[in-house]
Amino acid sequence: MIGGLQKVTLLDYPGKVACTVFFTGCNLRCPYCHNPELVLPQNPADGLASEFLFGFLASRTGKLDGVCITGGEPTLHKDLPAFAEQIRALGFAVKLDTNGYRPDVLRGMVEAGLVDYAAMDIKNSRAKYAEACGLDKPDVAKIEQSAAFLMEGRIPYEFRTTVVRELHSFADFEAIGRWLDGARAYYLQSYVDSEDILVPGFTAYGKDELETFRALLAPRFGVVGIRGV
C-alpha cells in the first residue's frame, strides 16, 4: 500500500531531483522509528491511489530525474517489482530504500534492472542488532546477505545508520567498520527526536561526537558522511 508522496526532494536521491513514495508496513520495530504511521498495522497511513501517483509522475516527466521508494519496508510488497518497472518505463531512475531483511527481493530487483541506486539501513553492529531493530531474535544472516550483495557493486549504493546515543557506541562503529570494510559509501544520520517516535526517550549525539565516529570510519569506506546536523 502506498502511504504517502513527497512531491519533490533534493536530498533523498544523491545527485538527482526526485520525489519520494512511502510504502506502509515493516518487518522491523526499531524503537527510534519516526514513521509509526507507516510501520504499525493498527496505525495505517492514509492511502494513495496508484492511479494518482502515476498521473503525477507522468506530469513530471522532464522535471524530475528519479523516484525514491521508501517505507516502512518496500520489499514486503509483492507488487514492488511491477511498480518499479512502471516507474522506469516513464523514464525515471529508481532509488530503493531497504532494511535488507529480504535479500532475495533486493537481489531479484537489481538483477532485473529495476533499481538504479540502493540505500540500505545498517541498524547497528551485528552483536547489537536485536536492540536496535526491535526484534528479539533477528536473522542477521539476511542483513549480511543483502550487504554482501550490494558490495558486489552491481549498482551504486550506500549504507547508513541512524545514530542514537542510547543504542550506539564507539565500539559499535568499530565493529560496523570491520564488517563493511571497503564499501562504497556510509552515512551517519543524526537521530531527530519528535513526538511521533515509536518509543520515546532517545537522544542524539552532538556534531563533534558524530565527527569522531566519521573519522573512525573514514579509512574503511570510499565516502563517509554525516547527515542531519
Side-chain angles (χ1 to χ4, degrees):
M1 176 181 177
I2 302 171
L5 170 67
Q6 182 181 352
K7 292 185 176 180
V8 63
T9 174
L10 302 177
L11 301 176
D12 289 348
Y13 197 143
K16 295 188 183 296
V17 180
C19 68
T20 301
V21 179
F22 298 87
F23 275 71
T24 59
C26 191
N27 43 11
L28 303 184
R29 292 294 181 269
C30 305
Y32 53 88
C33 178
H34 62 276
N35 285 327
E37 74 282 1
L38 294 172
V39 170
L40 299 178
Q42 63 268 34
N43 294 323
D46 293 334
L48 184 71
S50 59
E51 293 80 5
F52 172 86
L53 173 64
F54 285 105
F56 166 79
L57 291 177
S59 73
R60 293 302 187 272
T61 301
K63 299 175 183 177
L64 296 177
D65 304 313
V67 177
C68 304
I69 304 175
T70 190
E73 175 51 40
T75 62
L76 292 176
H77 295 267
K78 61 181 178 62
D79 295 332
L80 179 62
F83 182 81
E85 186 172 17
Q86 194 169 350
I87 290 172
R88 296 190 85 254
L90 290 171
F92 299 106
V94 170
K95 172 179 176 270
L96 177 65
D97 292 351
T98 182
N99 59 30
Y101 212 73
R102 301 197 71 196
D104 292 344
V105 176
L106 174 62
R107 175 183 289 273
M109 290 191 64
V110 171
E111 291 182 344
L114 300 177
V115 180
D116 300 283
Y117 189 103
M120 178 177 158
D121 293 324
I122 299 296
K123 303 300 183 181
N124 209 329
S125 62
R126 288 173 286 189
K128 290 175 61 178
Y129 230 85
E131 182 180 353
C133 79
L135 301 183
D136 290 337
K137 295 181 179 179
D139 189 347
V140 180
K142 293 181 178 179
I143 307 297
E144 294 172 328
Q145 289 172 31
S146 290
F149 172 68
L150 289 179
M151 289 177 67
E152 293 177 9
R154 302 192 188 196
I155 58 170
Y157 68 93
E158 66 181 57
F159 297 120
R160 59 196 189 179
T161 299
T162 298
V163 187
V164 182
R165 183 178 294 276
E166 290 78 11
L167 297 176
H168 300 99
S169 67
F170 195 87
D172 292 320
F173 288 110
E174 286 184 314
I176 290 170
R178 291 192 298 270
W179 170 20
L180 303 175
D181 191 15
R184 174 183 180 273
Y186 182 81
Y187 290 92
L188 300 162
Q189 299 182 158
S190 180
Y191 169 77
V192 178
D193 196 16
S194 80
E195 61 183 17
D196 296 324
I197 297 299
L198 195 59
V199 179
F202 294 109
T203 56
Y205 280 103
K207 184 176 181 180
D208 289 345
E209 294 168 304
L210 291 173
E211 177 57 35
T212 299
F213 296 143
R214 192 205 68 79
L216 167 70
L217 293 163
R220 299 276 192 180
F221 301 101
V223 174
V224 179
I226 297 174
R227 291 171 174 158
V229 294

